[in-house]
Amino acid sequence: MSLYTQYTHEKRWLKTSREEALRIIAEEMPETDAEGTLAYIESEIAKGKQITLGSCRFRRDNA
């Protein structure tokens, strides 16, 4: 499963690495555990959901 992100001011979804996703989470929500938050995001997007965290959205690929 590929992870894609999109900031609210952008139009395109970008394929994102796990390391980049951890950086985004730490930037958007510095008071949370980035690893735990990413695990939650991955479990929810596996169900086909789109998760918004601050000004960034996460989703899986459509394939």
Side-chain angles (χ1 to χ4, degrees):
M1 173 178 63
S2 297
L3 178 67
Y4 287 81
T5 58
Q6 177 189 45
Y7 282 96
T8 55
H9 62 274
E10 295 176 335
K11 294 182 188 260
R12 291 183 37 212
W13 287 90
L14 300 175
K15 189 172 184 177
T16 305
S17 68
R18 182 173 175 79
E19 293 76 26
E20 182 69 11
L22 288 169
R23 185 194 63 76
I24 292 169
I25 293 167
E27 189 177 278
E28 292 291 324
M29 303 282 289
E31 68 280 355
T32 64
D33 171 38
E35 285 284 341
T37 303
L38 183 57
Y40 169 76
I41 290 170
E42 289 175 333
S43 71
E44 292 301 306
I45 65 173
K47 300 174 189 174
K49 295 182 179 180
Q50 180 176 298
I51 302 296
T52 302
L53 183 68
S55 64
C56 188
R57 295 184 200 107
F58 296 84
R59 75 171 192 188
R60 68 179 183 165
D61 58 342
N62 290 332

